Amino acid sequence: MIRPDAPVLLEIDDLRASVEDQPILKGVSLTIRAGEIHAVMGRNGSGKSTLSKVLAGHPAYAVTGGRVRYRGEDLLALEPEERARTGLFLGFQYPVEIPGVSNLEFLRVATNARRACKGEEELDTFAFEDLVHERLKVVQMDPAFLERSVNEGFSGGEKKRNEILQMALLDPLVAILDETDSGLDIDALRIVAGGVNHLASADNATLLITHYQRLLDAITPDYVHVMASGRILRTGGKELALELEERGYDWVDAELAAADRAPVEVA
Amino acid sequence: MASTASVGDLVSQPYKYGFVTDIETEKIAKGLSEDVVRLISAKKEEPAFLLEFRLRAFRHWLQMQEPDWAALGHPPIDYQDIIYYAAPKQQEKKASLDEVDPKLLETFDKLGIPLSEQKRLSNVAVDAVFDSVSIATTYKEKLAEHGVIFCSISEAVKEHPELIERYLGTVVPANDNFFAALNSAVFSDGSFVFIPKGVECPMELSTYFRINSGDTGQFERTLIVAEVGASVSYLEGCTAPMFDTNQLHAAVVELVALDDASIKYSTVQNWYAGDENGKGGIYNFVTKRGQCRGARSHISWTQVETGSAITWKYPSCVLQGADSVGEFYSVALTNNRQQADTGTKMIHVGPRTRSTIVSKGISAGHSANSYRGLVQIGPKAVGARNYSQCDSMLIGDQAAANTYPYIRSQQPEASIEHEASTSRISADQLFYLQSRGIGFEEAVSMMVSGFCRDVFNQLPMEFAAEADKLLALKLEGSVG
């Protein structure tokens, strides 16, 4: 939902980042307002996953230039946990397993950390169980998964559902979903996409990072950005995704070659 | 980009108990000889049988070699460069706490072990040992009403010599091993517990060991006897000042459980571990053994080992009585240059004896952490069962973890199960928790507590939270 007067939640300006001294992001700019759904598409290695990790504060990535304003604040000055508490959410492409830490307890600690930041009272074990059982419905997840260790022994689809469950509990302002569709069968994709649609509102925003059109059949983006070689090459509406689907990424290479000859001003 | 503390910073927490109490101490000259053994015995006004025991041990010790089979390395120890007896100058044990040197009470206050009438822990009786001597034991009268004896071993030698003579050295013989023999020759003090027939000890018993002197060896001796149907839960804690030299600590603990008796022995060990380069710290060479002498008796060891430069320790159970049960629950945390070679021995002698071993090793920094355990099933141990689980967790990429399980069975029908796993706290796991709003320290602590839960559940309630806190402290760092 595009409303030009909606407040800006995330403003990325000429962001540059490298990993192990290898530049990956080479000047990314992107503005996200409340109510919007953005999709960043691109080939493997285009830098789209790096963008999500940098925004969430992964320590392996070094920011080398640019800035990111989040709710008017300098996002890059915040610790990863502070970003999360203030409502930035990253749905991981490969959620890690954490043996020995109960999923239920983990969800409760995370939810309470977010609630404290919003000035809401901490939920005790019972109040939290009520909440989590209600939110489980959003992703049609079996409550038995709460009793296990975080993601331990979960299938790929179960891990992704657990991510969306966390999103449903943490009530994010900006949700970045990194390749949430990868490794999902049609049914799981439908459930996960249904969850994301259910959680999207006029007050929050979603940034989908994806490879394929099929996720965008289920979640309609307001903007589609094509990323290549660490930059956003082109921005358009949902039809841009369809164009990519039709023409493949080859034309991107041509534009990229042109861009390398004369560096493009990125809007 | 915001700086995120590394796990390395997090585990490098300064040692809180490193202060030295300035108190006048009576010490004997350095070195060990038969004369020194006689001198210690004379200072303690011991009966002849005990001097004999010491001399026998000393003669054995002279013939023995320091063990070198453990996965540990340290420069040779000069046994003539150690003081074998040191005591704060206030010789006679005082009848009331009012007469104890306030400096000593203050020391224990600072360690979180208040001894004075008003502040003492409400349901825990404490024996406080400072260098070589016990300085106070709380709740003695209340325990005496139940027939429970809880006092320093020196006092027990004077007041209950018949019990000492009957039980001392019967579980760990004077010539058991190099360090046990040394302890038997020169032990200074420690605790004695006697729970008479049918009595369930009404409160937790606890001994707190404090090393203060820099050049003194520590040789405590603890003896716990539970008569038929008796039960007791006992906890020991320990700390030491920071010196850049190493101090030798060679203790012996003996437990005896008669028919239907039960002894639960818990340790929270936090001796000074040396600095980040491995300078200083305690050499902890300890022999702990319990004997389930009676039928259906039960001995349970729970240890949380976080300190010492070197830990060499294998709390064991000899399961002699039919249907007796031995348990070993251990968390060993090593950091920096610490080395630990620790585990247990479960010796199944009687029929239908059962043992459980749960060991959790956590290695951080450049430390080395080894589990070494023996499960032995004798020919008469029909229907014996053992279950062992040994898990290791690595923090960072410089630490080492080893598991050495030994199984010897002369009983084809025995059931022996062994499970082992190794895991690592990875940067990605930490980032995952952080990206859900959980702070770095809490994230590490969650993962470590989850890893240790099976063991912490075994600690007496009063101390379980303590142990959790201690691990968190050891892992606390410079976040924020």
Side-chain angles (χ1 to χ4, degrees):
Chain A
M1 180 200 328
I2 303 175
R3 287 177 298 143
D5 59 332
V8 172
L9 292 180
L10 193 68
E11 191 176 7
I12 305 168
D13 182 19
D14 195 30
L15 182 63
R16 290 159 194 272
S18 53
V19 61
E20 288 169 357
D21 294 328
Q22 188 69 40
I24 310 282
L25 298 185
K26 300 168 184 168
V28 175
S29 297
L30 181 61
T31 299
I32 299 178
R33 290 174 189 273
E36 296 175 349
I37 296 177
H38 290 243
V40 170
M41 303 185 72
R43 281 194 167 141
N44 284 336
S46 60
K48 54 191 198 313
S49 267
T50 298
L51 176 63
S52 70
K53 295 254 176 55
V54 169
L55 292 174
H58 195 293
Y61 298 84
V63 174
T64 51
R67 36 172 236 161
V68 181
R69 309 290 293 174
Y70 170 59
R71 302 153 65 236
E73 266 186 276
D74 178 8
L75 178 76
L76 303 176
L78 300 176
E79 294 289 343
E81 59 268 31
E82 293 167 330
R83 303 180 193 197
R85 288 171 198 159
T86 51
L88 188 87
F89 178 85
L90 171 61
F92 285 79
Q93 181 177 8
Y94 303 110
V96 293
E97 303 193 358
I98 309 182
V101 176
S102 119
N103 200 26
L104 183 66
E105 180 62 10
F106 157 68
L107 294 170
R108 193 172 72 86
V109 173
T111 303
N112 280 331
R114 172 82 179 112
R115 287 178 68 89
C117 184
K118 287 193 289 183
E120 293 169 0
E121 66 178 296
E122 192 168 300
L123 297 177
D124 65 18
T125 317
F126 303 108
F128 181 71
E129 279 202 21
D130 292 344
L131 177 70
V132 80
H133 280 98
E134 180 209 314
R135 297 294 152 93
L136 275 173
K137 292 179 200 145
V138 175
V139 285
Q140 302 177 25
M141 204 163 124
D142 184 342
F145 285 103
L146 299 175
E147 306 304 324
R148 300 183 27 192
S149 292
V150 178
N151 294 325
E152 194 182 30
F154 288 24
S155 71
E158 288 156 358
K159 284 180 182 168
K160 294 297 172 72
R161 283 197 217 188
N162 203 32
E163 293 293 291
I164 305 303
L165 173 64
Q166 291 166 46
M167 179 175 159
L169 287 165
L170 297 176
D171 183 25
L173 277 179
V174 175
I176 305 162
L177 302 177
D178 187 7
E179 308 261 0
T180 292
D181 50 331
S182 69
L184 293 187
D185 60 30
I186 295 295
D187 289 335
L189 179 70
R190 191 175 40 76
I191 291 164
V192 164
V196 174
N197 283 326
H198 177 83
L199 297 168
S201 78
D203 300 320
N204 61 29
T206 310
L207 177 60
L208 303 169
I209 307 242
T210 184
H211 211 77
Y212 300 108
Q213 165 64 27
R214 63 172 199 163
L215 180 67
L216 305 182
D217 290 336
I219 306 170
T220 311
D222 300 302
Y223 295 98
V224 172
H225 311 274
V226 180
M227 212 169 156
S229 195
R231 276 170 288 193
I232 289 178
L233 273 191
R234 202 198 285 188
T235 293
K238 62 177 183 225
E239 62 289 342
L240 180 56
L242 294 169
E243 190 186 333
L244 274 178
E245 175 87 344
E246 225 165 85
R247 295 173 55 195
Y249 281 98
D250 286 346
W251 63 270
V252 173
D253 295 332
E255 281 200 19
L256 203 59
D260 280 343
R261 282 193 297 274
V264 190
E265 279 300 308
V266 183
Chain B
M1 181 169 187
S3 65
T4 300
S6 69
V7 186
D9 296 337
L10 191 66
V11 293
S12 310
Q13 160 76 9
Y15 186 66
K16 269 185 20 181
Y17 308 102
F19 62 91
V20 183
T21 305
D22 180 20
I23 192 159
E24 222 188 319
T25 310
E26 187 209 354
K27 290 178 182 175
I28 63 171
K30 279 183 179 174
L32 184 53
S33 62
E34 197 164 309
D35 288 343
V36 168
V37 175
R38 287 179 189 279
L39 180 63
I40 292 171
S41 189
K43 277 195 173 297
K44 301 178 84 66
E45 299 164 17
E46 287 173 351
F49 81 86
L50 200 50
L51 176 60
E52 263 318 300
F53 176 82
R54 286 178 183 278
L55 290 174
R56 216 165 49 236
F58 179 68
R59 285 166 201 146
H60 279 299
W61 181 74
L62 287 174
Q63 310 297 318
M64 296 169 99
Q65 297 295 317
E66 208 181 286
D68 61 357
W69 41 260
L72 302 169
H74 58 83
I77 299 169
D78 181 355
Y79 291 92
Q80 297 306 331
D81 194 37
I82 293 171
I83 292 173
Y84 287 86
Y85 184 83
K89 264 197 183 150
Q90 59 139 29
Q91 271 311 351
E92 284 304 300
K93 188 152 176 181
K94 303 300 177 193
S96 117
L97 276 172
D98 303 340
E99 298 167 52
V100 173
D101 189 326
K103 265 189 194 164
L104 291 174
L105 296 180
E106 214 175 276
T107 301
F108 282 92
D109 262 356
K110 248 168 114 175
L111 297 169
I113 314 290
L115 300 171
S116 60
E117 206 69 58
Q118 307 81 24
K119 287 186 282 179
R120 60 172 64 158
L121 302 166
S122 63
N123 198 35
V124 184
V126 178
D127 184 23
V129 177
F130 188 90
D131 279 344
S132 300
V133 293
S134 162
I135 60 156
T137 309
T138 61
Y139 292 115
K140 275 172 77 170
E141 300 76 18
K142 190 175 169 198
L143 290 167
E145 287 169 22
H146 297 265
V148 172
I149 302 170
F150 179 39
C151 61
S152 73
I153 201 140
S154 314
E155 203 176 331
V157 167
K158 290 204 174 78
E159 307 288 327
H160 311 282
E162 72 294 346
L163 290 175
I164 299 297
E165 191 167 10
R166 192 185 316 158
Y167 290 108
L168 189 78
T170 61
V171 182
V172 178
N175 61 350
D176 188 78
N177 67 69
F178 182 84
F179 295 112
L182 179 63
N183 173 286
S184 300
V186 301
F187 72 88
S188 41
D189 217 336
S191 298
F192 175 68
V193 175
F194 179 82
I195 316 290
K197 190 173 171 180
V199 171
E200 187 182 326
C201 187
M203 50 172 62
E204 295 281 342
L205 305 184
S206 170
T207 299
Y208 195 90
F209 294 103
R210 173 69 179 174
I211 292 180
N212 194 57
S213 305
D215 45 7
T216 309
Q218 288 290 308
F219 307 95
E220 301 102 31
R221 187 101 195 176
T222 297
L223 173 60
I224 299 179
V225 178
E227 283 201 321
V228 175
S231 71
V232 63
S233 170
Y234 175 94
L235 182 123
E236 63 167 13
C238 18
T239 59
M242 304 198 286
F243 293 113
D244 54 12
T245 53
N246 299 104
Q247 286 85 51
L248 176 63
H249 174 256
V252 170
V253 174
E254 297 178 279
L255 312 181
V256 178
L258 303 184
D259 285 357
D260 297 296
S262 140
I263 300 174
K264 184 178 177 69
Y265 192 106
S266 313
T267 304
V268 176
Q269 188 262 110
N270 189 18
W271 295 121
Y272 178 53
D275 68 10
E276 65 275 17
N277 300 315
K279 201 163 174 54
I282 304 288
Y283 287 172
N284 194 31
F285 299 119
V286 172
T287 305
K288 291 183 165 177
R289 194 172 305 153
Q291 195 170 33
C292 284
R293 213 169 273 188
R296 297 166 304 279
S297 55
H298 188 153
I299 288 179
S300 175
W301 298 99
T302 304
Q303 57 169 17
V304 178
E305 302 280 309
T306 67
S308 298
I310 295 180
T311 300
W312 178 96
K313 182 180 165 187
Y314 315 89
S316 308
C317 296
V318 180
L319 304 168
Q320 201 171 298
D323 300 289
S324 60
V325 176
E327 291 169 325
F328 174 75
Y329 298 96
S330 169
V331 167
L333 170 80
T334 54
N335 191 11
N336 297 323
R337 302 278 170 180
Q338 276 178 275
Q339 306 175 59
D341 192 298
T342 183
T344 185
K345 288 189 278 184
M346 292 292 174
I347 314 292
H348 292 252
V349 180
R352 298 173 307 280
T353 45
R354 285 170 297 163
S355 64
T356 302
I357 298 170
V358 177
S359 161
K360 307 277 180 176
I362 303 164
S363 345
H366 289 82
S367 68
N369 200 327
S370 302
Y371 167 81
R372 189 182 301 277
L374 168 68
V375 176
Q376 182 171 313
I377 315 277
K380 288 179 188 155
V382 183
R385 281 186 286 166
N386 160 267
Y387 171 74
S388 304
Q389 186 191 332
C390 302
D391 299 324
S392 305
M393 178 181 261
L394 295 165
I395 299 181
D397 52 10
Q398 305 289 317
N402 303 303
T403 303
Y404 304 100
Y406 303 84
I407 296 170
R408 286 184 209 136
S409 179
Q410 294 169 277
Q411 247 305 321
E413 306 284 293
S415 146
I416 302 168
E417 276 180 69
H418 181 92
E419 288 179 19
S421 77
T422 302
S423 56
R424 182 186 295 279
I425 291 191
S426 70
D428 281 331
Q429 286 172 319
L430 286 168
F431 177 63
Y432 187 78
L433 294 175
Q434 280 179 285
S435 76
R436 296 301 179 251
I438 299 166
F440 187 76
E441 290 180 7
E442 194 180 358
V444 172
S445 169
M446 259 176 122
M447 292 174 64
V448 170
S449 307
F451 180 71
C452 301
R453 189 172 307 132
D454 297 348
V455 174
F456 286 174
N457 285 345
Q458 299 296 327
L459 282 174
M461 207 164 56
E462 288 86 342
F463 298 98
E466 200 76 6
D468 217 354
K469 226 165 56 193
L470 177 62
L471 279 204
L473 257 179
K474 284 269 165 179
L475 293 168
E476 191 174 70
S478 51
V479 180

